[in-house]
Amino acid sequence: MDFDMLGLKPRLIDALRTMGITDPTPIQKQAIPPALDGADVMGLAQTGTGKTAAFGLPLVQHLLADDARPAPKTARALILAPTRELVNQIAESLSGFTQGSHLKVARVMGGVGIVPQIKRMERGVDLLVATPGRLIDLMDRGAVRLDRSHFLVLDEADQMLDMGFIHALRQIEPKLPRERQTLLFSATMPKDMEALAASYLTNPIRVQVAKSGQTADKVTQSIHFVAKAEKNALLVELLNAHPGEAALVFARTKHGSDRLAKFLTGAGIDAVAVHGNRSQGQRTRALDAFTKGDAAVMVATDVAARGLDIPVVKHVYNYELPNVPETYVHRIGRTARAGRDGAAVALAAPDEMGELKDIEKILKAEIPVASGRRWDPVPGEAKKSGRGGGNNRRRGGGGGGGGDRRGGPAGQRGGAAQAKPAQARPGGGAKPANKRRRPRRSAS
């Protein structure tokens, strides 16, 4: 099936060819026709499957068909996304779709000055891509009105819920016209999504090209059971096994990401860090360095786990397992995009067995073991307590070295993995308690 068979106008098909896009993906085949018909759509698809075009192309065609001009401080179509990086990526794709037309695309997000964004909205825009927090900042200042936004998209809706944007979304919804078309896209479908969908969508057409928790077909997954004290050395060993190939490493905390990037750089591996404490300029420069190959490794918190399309990523490392199991699916979705092959490697310490259990529950399968053996859960230890310590036991016992050796028989691995036992975690110390905070709106 070609794009013209989906009902798209020749102008848009020509724009797609210019962008090097010739064949629709499964989510595009299912979502574009009902969206062109004006129906609300609720789409479930893995990351990297082309959701941006699935909602962007129908939006642009609707706006081109109506030759209206935006009123001051309004947007004819509003696209909400959880992170600055995703906002930038969506806006760039929309600019490609609208090339040569009168449609104006704007972006609103934290990490950059708010005054230029206020000025940009003074005359109104056709398509506004925004993070919820910064959008509300502009609304509070009277710089944006949503009463003319007759098209709405919620992209990566599950991550917006997970990041605590539900309150912002509840503030935004009453400001929108009752008569509107809404498109909601997500990679997973947690229980809270049903309530969100009920408040935003009207008799939606449901399209699904992946089950919740399903990973991309061409991702090869593996896991190493390793003590915290040996994670750094093992990561260096694994990264050095594929020199020159781009790798994305996920850590839980912002400071941990900085420390790990610094450690890798000291070990002779060019690495950059991306997280919410970095300014937008810093994040953009880091992404550019990684995309262009100037840095072989990007260490990131989950701010980079969703939506970003970085084709060069061949390897994803979960240096620390995420607290939210669905986040694992989003993380490893950064590789093997658009039919490419990719590898996802997890490093699991004894106190991460609870997280691993939850992850494998949604995967409905155990992750293949690359080294070590599964750690036994510590009796009486509260799940996700975040405690470190040496009371962790291995299944099967045996082997010396207490809790500071990789799971498995004593002496199973040597070399680099044993070379630097003193370097426990970036910055040392026990792992901090796992606390999920609602992000400040201005940091969106």
Side-chain angles (χ1 to χ4, degrees), residues 218-269:
K218 295 192 176 183
V219 177
T220 302
Q221 300 178 65
S222 62
I223 187 166
H224 297 263
F225 292 100
V226 56
K228 287 182 184 180
E230 298 184 359
K231 278 194 176 185
N232 283 8
L234 175 59
L235 181 61
V236 170
E237 178 185 334
L238 294 171
L239 290 171
N240 283 333
H242 51 78
E245 296 183 355
L248 182 56
V249 180
F250 284 105
R252 280 184 183 170
T253 68
K254 302 167 186 175
H255 296 301
S257 297
D258 283 333
R259 290 193 294 266
L260 184 54
K262 184 177 180 180
F263 169 79
L264 292 175
T265 300
I269 298 172

Side-chain angles (χ1 to χ4, degrees), residues 1 6 24-34 41-52 54 156 184-189 205-218 329 338:
M1 181 181 292
L6 300 180
T25 65
I27 188 63
Q28 292 163 5
K29 292 177 183 178
Q30 292 191 38
I32 288 176
V41 174
M42 185 174 183
L44 178 65
Q46 302 162 353
T47 56
T49 54
K51 293 194 294 290
T52 301
E156 303 291 359
L184 183 152
F185 287 86
S186 180
T188 62
M189 198 60 61
I205 302 295
R206 294 175 179 256
V207 297
Q208 180 172 335
V209 297
K211 296 179 180 179
S212 184
Q214 183 176 337
T215 59
D217 294 335
K218 295 192 176 183
V329 178

Side-chain angles (χ1 to χ4, degrees), residues 44-331:
L44 178 65
Q46 302 162 353
T47 56
T49 54
K51 293 194 294 290
T52 301
F55 65 74
L57 294 170
L59 283 186
V60 171
Q61 183 151 312
H62 284 311
L63 295 176
L64 287 173
D66 181 1
D67 201 27
R69 293 295 187 271
K73 300 182 180 181
T74 69
R76 298 171 64 200
L78 172 65
I79 300 98
L80 294 176
T83 66
R84 310 172 201 170
E85 285 75 19
L86 187 51
V87 165
N88 280 329
Q89 182 173 299
I90 293 171
E92 289 169 5
S93 293
L94 293 175
S95 295
F97 301 156
T98 59
Q99 186 70 33
S101 74
H102 67 277
L103 299 181
K104 295 181 290 184
V105 180
R107 62 193 80 181
V108 163
M109 58 191 179
V112 294
I114 195 171
V115 174
Q117 295 176 359
I118 292 173
K119 291 183 177 179
R120 180 71 179 86
M121 291 302 302
E122 286 179 352
R123 295 185 179 181
V125 298
D126 297 285
L127 295 132
L128 176 62
V129 192
T131 54
R134 178 52 67 91
L135 177 63
I136 290 179
D137 288 342
L138 267 68
M139 292 167 60
D140 290 344
R141 296 176 183 226
V144 173
R145 293 168 30 213
L146 301 182
D147 57 301
R148 303 289 185 90
S149 299
H150 292 284
F151 301 96
L152 172 69
V153 175
L154 303 177
D155 193 22
E156 303 291 359
D158 51 348
Q159 190 188 17
M160 284 196 276
L161 291 178
D162 186 52
M163 292 176 67
F165 284 127
I166 184 62
H167 302 290
L169 294 174
R170 286 172 178 163
Q171 286 181 259
I172 292 169
E173 197 276 334
K175 307 297 183 183
L176 295 161
R178 293 181 64 87
E179 295 294 327
R180 67 172 187 270
Q181 181 183 18
T182 303
L183 311 176
L184 183 152
F185 287 86
S186 180
T188 62
M189 198 60 61
K191 294 179 180 179
D192 292 345
M193 188 65 66
E194 293 297 333
L196 180 69
S199 64
Y200 271 89
L201 303 172
T202 302
N203 299 322
I205 302 295
R206 294 175 179 256
V207 297
Q208 180 172 335
V209 297
K211 296 179 180 179
S212 184
Q214 183 176 337
T215 59
D217 294 335
K218 295 192 176 183
V219 177
T220 302
Q221 300 178 65
S222 62
I223 187 166
H224 297 263
F225 292 100
V226 56
K228 287 182 184 180
E230 298 184 359
K231 278 194 176 185
N232 283 8
L234 175 59
L235 181 61
V236 170
E237 178 185 334
L238 294 171
L239 290 171
N240 283 333
H242 51 78
E245 296 183 355
L248 182 56
V249 180
F250 284 105
R252 280 184 183 170
T253 68
K254 302 167 186 175
H255 296 301
S257 297
D258 283 333
R259 290 193 294 266
L260 184 54
K262 184 177 180 180
F263 169 79
L264 292 175
T265 300
I269 298 172
D270 292 327
V272 293
V274 172
H275 54 71
N277 277 358
R278 294 293 179 94
S279 70
Q280 187 56 42
Q282 290 174 318
R283 286 158 69 161
T284 300
R285 288 192 293 274
L287 283 168
D288 286 345
F290 182 59
T291 302
K292 294 175 181 177
D294 296 331
V297 176
M298 184 166 75
V299 184
T301 56
D302 290 314
V303 71
R306 301 290 294 276
L308 289 182
D309 187 9
I310 309 175
V312 298
V313 176
K314 293 187 177 181
H315 306 270
V316 169
Y317 289 94
N318 279 281
Y319 178 82
E320 294 164 312
L321 296 180
N323 296 330
V324 180
E326 288 84 2
T327 300
Y328 174 84
V329 178
H330 308 323
R331 287 181 177 185

Side-chain angles (χ1 to χ4, degrees), residues 398-420:
D404 285 335
R405 295 184 61 83
R406 192 174 312 170
Q412 176 179 347
R413 295 179 62 98
Q418 305 289 340
K420 300 180 181 179

